[in-house]
Amino acid sequence: MPGTYTTAVYDERGNVIAEIPVDISPNLVGDKARVSVPVSSTLGKRPQDLRTVVLDPDGKQVEAQLVPDGKGGFVVDFIPTKPGDYKTAIYDERGNLLSEIPVHISTGKKPTFPLPRDVFVGVNPTDASVVATDPHGNV
């Protein structure tokens, strides 16, 4: 079902360590892809203080826009030119990497949404669990 899902990541004690909105819509070659940026990585930042770089599967930069999502966070919009794994990176005004978000672009199969690496800072990923909730609140 298309819509915005909430992906909650829990540590081994059951504490929420990240909540990441995931916009589920087909990420297909030639269609606009929209990537939600983890709020924790851009908290307190203004759009003019941030820069996004999207690299295609061959490492070539793809034109992209960082857009406020209206909820205090940001999304990255870009048009993928080929199927494969893209890297979406967010940098602050000094050029420091704030977040790197992988996105899989398909030719027609279901998209995948790997979790950003910075979610697991200080947590062993094998001890974490992930729960996705659909737009209606169903797990």
mmCIF file of all heavy atoms in Angstrom, residues 30-56:
data_model
loop_
_atom_site.group_PDB
_atom_site.id
_atom_site.type_symbol
_atom_site.label_atom_id
_atom_site.label_comp_id
_atom_site.label_asym_id
_atom_site.label_seq_id
_atom_site.Cartn_x
_atom_site.Cartn_y
_atom_site.Cartn_z
ATOM 1 N N GLY A 30 13.260 6.885 -14.112
ATOM 2 C CA GLY A 30 12.530 7.937 -14.810
ATOM 3 C C GLY A 30 11.461 8.624 -13.990
ATOM 4 O O GLY A 30 11.012 9.702 -14.346
ATOM 5 N N ASP A 31 11.013 8.003 -12.891
ATOM 6 C CA ASP A 31 10.023 8.624 -12.009
ATOM 7 C C ASP A 31 10.734 9.337 -10.873
ATOM 8 O O ASP A 31 11.813 8.930 -10.459
ATOM 9 C CB ASP A 31 9.094 7.566 -11.396
ATOM 10 C CG ASP A 31 8.150 6.952 -12.408
ATOM 11 O OD1 ASP A 31 7.982 7.529 -13.499
ATOM 12 O OD2 ASP A 31 7.600 5.879 -12.113
ATOM 13 N N LYS A 32 10.106 10.393 -10.331
ATOM 14 C CA LYS A 32 10.713 11.104 -9.205
ATOM 15 C C LYS A 32 10.804 10.177 -7.996
ATOM 16 O O LYS A 32 9.828 9.550 -7.609
ATOM 17 C CB LYS A 32 9.911 12.345 -8.846
ATOM 18 C CG LYS A 32 10.499 13.108 -7.657
ATOM 19 C CD LYS A 32 9.846 14.437 -7.425
ATOM 20 C CE LYS A 32 8.493 14.284 -6.819
ATOM 21 N NZ LYS A 32 7.891 15.560 -6.415
ATOM 22 N N ALA A 33 11.994 10.090 -7.421
ATOM 23 C CA ALA A 33 12.194 9.348 -6.180
ATOM 24 C C ALA A 33 12.219 10.354 -5.045
ATOM 25 O O ALA A 33 12.781 11.437 -5.174
ATOM 26 C CB ALA A 33 13.501 8.570 -6.231
ATOM 27 N N ARG A 34 11.616 10.006 -3.921
ATOM 28 C CA ARG A 34 11.580 10.874 -2.740
ATOM 29 C C ARG A 34 12.139 10.090 -1.571
ATOM 30 O O ARG A 34 11.656 9.010 -1.258
ATOM 31 C CB ARG A 34 10.165 11.337 -2.465
ATOM 32 C CG ARG A 34 10.043 12.141 -1.173
ATOM 33 C CD ARG A 34 8.798 12.945 -1.150
ATOM 34 N NE ARG A 34 9.078 14.173 -1.874
ATOM 35 C CZ ARG A 34 8.306 15.252 -1.835
ATOM 36 N NH1 ARG A 34 7.198 15.245 -1.163
ATOM 37 N NH2 ARG A 34 8.649 16.332 -2.503
ATOM 38 N N VAL A 35 13.170 10.644 -0.933
ATOM 39 C CA VAL A 35 13.849 9.980 0.170
ATOM 40 C C VAL A 35 13.668 10.814 1.434
ATOM 41 O O VAL A 35 14.006 11.999 1.442
ATOM 42 C CB VAL A 35 15.361 9.829 -0.134
ATOM 43 C CG1 VAL A 35 16.069 9.145 1.015
ATOM 44 C CG2 VAL A 35 15.567 9.080 -1.438
ATOM 45 N N SER A 36 13.133 10.214 2.495
ATOM 46 C CA SER A 36 13.008 10.908 3.774
ATOM 47 C C SER A 36 14.362 10.944 4.466
ATOM 48 O O SER A 36 15.072 9.952 4.508
ATOM 49 C CB SER A 36 12.000 10.198 4.669
ATOM 50 O OG SER A 36 10.715 10.234 4.101
ATOM 51 N N VAL A 37 14.708 12.100 5.011
ATOM 52 C CA VAL A 37 15.973 12.284 5.717
ATOM 53 C C VAL A 37 15.704 12.129 7.212
ATOM 54 O O VAL A 37 14.771 12.753 7.733
ATOM 55 C CB VAL A 37 16.561 13.688 5.427
ATOM 56 C CG1 VAL A 37 17.841 13.910 6.192
ATOM 57 C CG2 VAL A 37 16.772 13.866 3.931
ATOM 58 N N PRO A 38 16.489 11.303 7.927
ATOM 59 C CA PRO A 38 16.270 11.169 9.378
ATOM 60 C C PRO A 38 16.343 12.530 10.069
ATOM 61 O O PRO A 38 17.306 13.266 9.900
ATOM 62 C CB PRO A 38 17.421 10.268 9.831
ATOM 63 C CG PRO A 38 17.841 9.532 8.605
ATOM 64 C CD PRO A 38 17.590 10.475 7.459
ATOM 65 N N VAL A 39 15.298 12.866 10.822
ATOM 66 C CA VAL A 39 15.221 14.169 11.484
ATOM 67 C C VAL A 39 16.399 14.392 12.413
ATOM 68 O O VAL A 39 16.932 15.495 12.504
ATOM 69 C CB VAL A 39 13.881 14.303 12.250
ATOM 70 C CG1 VAL A 39 13.850 15.579 13.069
ATOM 71 C CG2 VAL A 39 12.715 14.266 11.279
ATOM 72 N N SER A 40 16.878 13.340 13.077
ATOM 73 C CA SER A 40 17.973 13.495 14.030
ATOM 74 C C SER A 40 19.239 14.035 13.378
ATOM 75 O O SER A 40 20.032 14.716 14.020
ATOM 76 C CB SER A 40 18.277 12.155 14.712
ATOM 77 O OG SER A 40 18.662 11.192 13.749
ATOM 78 N N SER A 41 19.428 13.776 12.092
ATOM 79 C CA SER A 41 20.652 14.227 11.428
ATOM 80 C C SER A 41 20.585 15.686 10.991
ATOM 81 O O SER A 41 21.614 16.295 10.705
ATOM 82 C CB SER A 41 20.974 13.333 10.232
ATOM 83 O OG SER A 41 19.963 13.429 9.259
ATOM 84 N N THR A 42 19.385 16.270 10.926
ATOM 85 C CA THR A 42 19.247 17.655 10.460
ATOM 86 C C THR A 42 18.571 18.559 11.480
ATOM 87 O O THR A 42 18.207 19.679 11.164
ATOM 88 C CB THR A 42 18.443 17.697 9.143
ATOM 89 O OG1 THR A 42 17.149 17.116 9.364
ATOM 90 C CG2 THR A 42 19.158 16.961 8.032
ATOM 91 N N LEU A 43 18.415 18.085 12.705
ATOM 92 C CA LEU A 43 17.712 18.828 13.747
ATOM 93 C C LEU A 43 18.311 20.220 13.927
ATOM 94 O O LEU A 43 19.516 20.372 14.104
ATOM 95 C CB LEU A 43 17.781 18.050 15.069
ATOM 96 C CG LEU A 43 16.787 18.441 16.139
ATOM 97 C CD1 LEU A 43 15.362 18.275 15.638
ATOM 98 C CD2 LEU A 43 16.988 17.588 17.373
ATOM 99 N N GLY A 44 17.465 21.222 13.854
ATOM 100 C CA GLY A 44 17.899 22.602 14.059
ATOM 101 C C GLY A 44 18.566 23.237 12.852
ATOM 102 O O GLY A 44 18.999 24.383 12.914
ATOM 103 N N LYS A 45 18.651 22.531 11.757
ATOM 104 C CA LYS A 45 19.310 23.054 10.559
ATOM 105 C C LYS A 45 18.287 23.732 9.648
ATOM 106 O O LYS A 45 17.144 23.317 9.546
ATOM 107 C CB LYS A 45 20.008 21.936 9.770
ATOM 108 C CG LYS A 45 21.067 21.211 10.542
ATOM 109 C CD LYS A 45 22.300 22.057 10.698
ATOM 110 C CE LYS A 45 23.410 21.268 11.376
ATOM 111 N NZ LYS A 45 24.571 22.059 11.647
ATOM 112 N N ARG A 46 18.739 24.792 8.984
ATOM 113 C CA ARG A 46 17.921 25.474 7.987
ATOM 114 C C ARG A 46 18.267 24.906 6.610
ATOM 115 O O ARG A 46 19.399 24.458 6.395
ATOM 116 C CB ARG A 46 18.192 26.973 8.013
ATOM 117 C CG ARG A 46 17.905 27.604 9.370
ATOM 118 C CD ARG A 46 18.341 29.032 9.409
ATOM 119 N NE ARG A 46 19.777 29.112 9.081
ATOM 120 C CZ ARG A 46 20.417 30.235 8.805
ATOM 121 N NH1 ARG A 46 19.778 31.373 8.797
ATOM 122 N NH2 ARG A 46 21.703 30.227 8.528
ATOM 123 N N PRO A 47 17.315 24.927 5.671
ATOM 124 C CA PRO A 47 17.597 24.370 4.343
ATOM 125 C C PRO A 47 18.846 24.968 3.690
ATOM 126 O O PRO A 47 19.621 24.259 3.057
ATOM 127 C CB PRO A 47 16.353 24.704 3.531
ATOM 128 C CG PRO A 47 15.286 24.943 4.520
ATOM 129 C CD PRO A 47 15.958 25.432 5.775
ATOM 130 N N GLN A 48 19.079 26.256 3.899
ATOM 131 C CA GLN A 48 20.242 26.903 3.279
ATOM 132 C C GLN A 48 21.561 26.469 3.918
ATOM 133 O O GLN A 48 22.637 26.711 3.366
ATOM 134 C CB GLN A 48 20.118 28.433 3.284
ATOM 135 C CG GLN A 48 19.978 29.045 4.660
ATOM 136 C CD GLN A 48 18.544 29.234 5.110
ATOM 137 O OE1 GLN A 48 17.662 28.466 4.756
ATOM 138 N NE2 GLN A 48 18.312 30.261 5.904
ATOM 139 N N ASP A 49 21.493 25.786 5.071
ATOM 140 C CA ASP A 49 22.697 25.282 5.740
ATOM 141 C C ASP A 49 23.031 23.845 5.331
ATOM 142 O O ASP A 49 24.012 23.288 5.811
ATOM 143 C CB ASP A 49 22.519 25.310 7.265
ATOM 144 C CG ASP A 49 22.366 26.725 7.797
ATOM 145 O OD1 ASP A 49 22.845 27.662 7.139
ATOM 146 O OD2 ASP A 49 21.745 26.880 8.859
ATOM 147 N N LEU A 50 22.201 23.257 4.480
ATOM 148 C CA LEU A 50 22.376 21.858 4.113
ATOM 149 C C LEU A 50 22.605 21.713 2.611
ATOM 150 O O LEU A 50 22.164 22.540 1.826
ATOM 151 C CB LEU A 50 21.127 21.052 4.511
ATOM 152 C CG LEU A 50 20.786 21.058 5.990
ATOM 153 C CD1 LEU A 50 19.409 20.461 6.214
ATOM 154 C CD2 LEU A 50 21.833 20.297 6.783
ATOM 155 N N ARG A 51 23.295 20.633 2.257
ATOM 156 C CA ARG A 51 23.540 20.323 0.845
ATOM 157 C C ARG A 51 23.350 18.829 0.674
ATOM 158 O O ARG A 51 23.723 18.037 1.532
ATOM 159 C CB ARG A 51 24.969 20.719 0.481
ATOM 160 C CG ARG A 51 25.336 20.512 -0.966
ATOM 161 C CD ARG A 51 26.721 21.071 -1.255
ATOM 162 N NE ARG A 51 27.780 20.399 -0.525
ATOM 163 C CZ ARG A 51 28.443 19.342 -0.967
ATOM 164 N NH1 ARG A 51 28.165 18.814 -2.133
ATOM 165 N NH2 ARG A 51 29.404 18.805 -0.240
ATOM 166 N N THR A 52 22.744 18.444 -0.445
ATOM 167 C CA THR A 52 22.558 17.023 -0.716
ATOM 168 C C THR A 52 23.305 16.638 -1.981
ATOM 169 O O THR A 52 23.415 17.431 -2.913
ATOM 170 C CB THR A 52 21.066 16.655 -0.840
ATOM 171 O OG1 THR A 52 20.946 15.244 -0.954
ATOM 172 C CG2 THR A 52 20.414 17.304 -2.043
ATOM 173 N N VAL A 53 23.848 15.433 -1.967
ATOM 174 C CA VAL A 53 24.504 14.862 -3.136
ATOM 175 C C VAL A 53 23.932 13.466 -3.326
ATOM 176 O O VAL A 53 23.900 12.665 -2.389
ATOM 177 C CB VAL A 53 26.038 14.783 -2.951
ATOM 178 C CG1 VAL A 53 26.682 14.055 -4.122
ATOM 179 C CG2 VAL A 53 26.632 16.163 -2.778
ATOM 180 N N VAL A 54 23.461 13.188 -4.533
ATOM 181 C CA VAL A 54 22.958 11.861 -4.868
ATOM 182 C C VAL A 54 23.871 11.279 -5.944
ATOM 183 O O VAL A 54 24.136 11.924 -6.955
ATOM 184 C CB VAL A 54 21.497 11.914 -5.370
ATOM 185 C CG1 VAL A 54 21.025 10.534 -5.811
ATOM 186 C CG2 VAL A 54 20.581 12.462 -4.283
ATOM 187 N N LEU A 55 24.354 10.065 -5.685
ATOM 188 C CA LEU A 55 25.211 9.364 -6.640
ATOM 189 C C LEU A 55 24.475 8.151 -7.185
ATOM 190 O O LEU A 55 23.857 7.398 -6.431
ATOM 191 C CB LEU A 55 26.511 8.913 -5.975
ATOM 192 C CG LEU A 55 27.384 10.023 -5.379
ATOM 193 C CD1 LEU A 55 28.604 9.415 -4.697
ATOM 194 C CD2 LEU A 55 27.800 11.026 -6.442
ATOM 195 N N ASP A 56 24.561 7.962 -8.516
ATOM 196 C CA ASP A 56 23.919 6.804 -9.135
ATOM 197 C C ASP A 56 24.771 5.554 -8.923
ATOM 198 O O ASP A 56 25.846 5.630 -8.309
ATOM 199 C CB ASP A 56 23.622 7.081 -10.616
ATOM 200 C CG ASP A 56 24.842 7.080 -11.524
ATOM 201 O OD1 ASP A 56 25.951 6.690 -11.095
ATOM 202 O OD2 ASP A 56 24.685 7.471 -12.695
#
